[in-house]
């Protein structure tokens, strides 16, 4: 291992912000150093508690994450925040708003905030997010909060990384529990009814609770509904307490290891898939040859099975 990488990982472990930022950029770009660094860091991971915060756009996820972070900081816990936007292909726009909102933490070295968006045609945002979470873990962040929008496959994959998933809902979006995406109900360990200062909060509260009543219990845990007004910091302590209760429930029931094994199984599959794809298509000419083959298939000049055989052969995999 080059001395520079060794140095770099030491700086990350010490929580050096510049070293961490550079490593995250390397992860996002799929640079070879990223793999080396993550290998070096891995033995130092496994201590952070990962909380996923998801929900429809504008429900107040960033505000909640910001308040939760402040809650932990007031208890001297170090915090990492990853704001993931699968709908954006570059960092900016709405995410920039998050940065500005979170500037209240500027100058606090106990908190590290990073936005991530999709890069490259091989995708892999969930994989990059998982790697960044490992990096924050190795850097000693005790709580890692991962904010992600919506319920697409990317988001579900991202949420799967978390030890605890918080689903955020608000009254008056017209998305009554009935026509809410089923996916959200299934992934939530805790439901937050944010903007509970707004009209319709009681009704949504009742609907949610009725729905959760009939939902099958998972591992002896009944997801609670926590009412918050994130902008005013109301309900934040209750939310933090619910997350803590969930953590202890899993530890007491001895389920944490089983859940982690399942999580690593998913990650290994994801890493394998990515490695194989990268081998078949990874270099600069990869996307071009994929486009060319796709065009041939679309024109019925070639069948898709032969096209994949060709890709595998070129990569020396068949
Ligand atoms: N009335 C009220 N407004 C809130 C509350 N929480 C957040 N907001 C406002 O709702 C708007 C969206 O909040 P964000 O925290 O950016 O929501 P988000 O879910 O992160 O948004 P995206 O990341 O764009 O999906 C902002 O104007 C907040 O000030 C709340 O509890 N009550
Ligand atoms: Mg946000």
């Amino acid at each position: 291992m080059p001395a520079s990488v060794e140095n770099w990982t030491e700086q990350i472990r010490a929580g050096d912000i510049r070293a961490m930022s550079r490593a995250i950029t390397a992860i996002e770009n799929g640079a070879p150093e990223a793999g080396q660094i993550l290998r070096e860091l891995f033995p130092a991971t496994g201590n952070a508690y990962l909380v996923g915060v998801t929900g429809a756009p504008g429900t107040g996820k960033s505000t909640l994450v910001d308040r939760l972070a402040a809650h932990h900081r007031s208890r001297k816990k170090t915090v990492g925040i990853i704001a993931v936007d699968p709908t954006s292909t570059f960092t900016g726009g709405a995410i920039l708003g998050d940065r500005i909102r979170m500037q209240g933490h500027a100058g606090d070295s106990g908190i590290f905030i990073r936005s991530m968006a999709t890069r490259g045609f091989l995708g892999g945002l969930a994989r990059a997010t998982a790697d960044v979470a490992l990096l924050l873990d190795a850097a000693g962040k005790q709580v890692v909060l991962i904010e992600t929008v919506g319920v697409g496959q990317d988001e579900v994959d991202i949420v799967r990384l978390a030890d605890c998933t918080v689903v955020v809902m608000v009254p008056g979006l017209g998305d009554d529990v009935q026509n809410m995406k089923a996916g959200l109900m299934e992934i939530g360990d805790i439901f937050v009814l944010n903007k509970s200062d707004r009209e319709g909060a009681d009704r949504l509260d009742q609907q949610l609770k009725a729905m959760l009543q009939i939902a099958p219990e998972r591992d002896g845990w009944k997801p609670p509904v926590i009412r918050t007004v994130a902008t005013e910091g109301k309900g934040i302590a209750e939310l933090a307490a619910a997350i803590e209760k969930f953590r202890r429930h899993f530890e007491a029931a001895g389920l944490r290891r089983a859940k982690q094994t399942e999580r690593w199984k998913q990650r290994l599959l994801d890493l394998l898939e990515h490695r194989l794809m990268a081998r078949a298509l990874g270099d600069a000419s990869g996307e071009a040859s994929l486009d060319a083959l796709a065009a041939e298939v679309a024109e019925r000049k070639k069948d898709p099975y032969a096209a994949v055989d060709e890709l595998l052969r070129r990569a020396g995999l068949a």
Side-chain angles (χ1 to χ4, degrees), residues 63-86:
T63 315
L64 276 165
V65 162
D66 182 61
R67 294 293 181 133
L68 263 180
H71 176 91
H72 289 303
R73 290 302 297 135
S74 73
R75 280 154 186 76
K76 303 274 178 279
K77 281 201 176 167
T78 51
V79 179
I81 297 176
I82 314 173
V84 192
D85 187 352

Side-chain angles (χ1 to χ4, degrees), residues 18 40 59 71 81 84 93 122 152-153 235:
R18 278 182 48 152
E40 274 303 294
T59 45
H71 176 91
I81 297 176
V84 192
L122 287 183
Q153 189 53 48

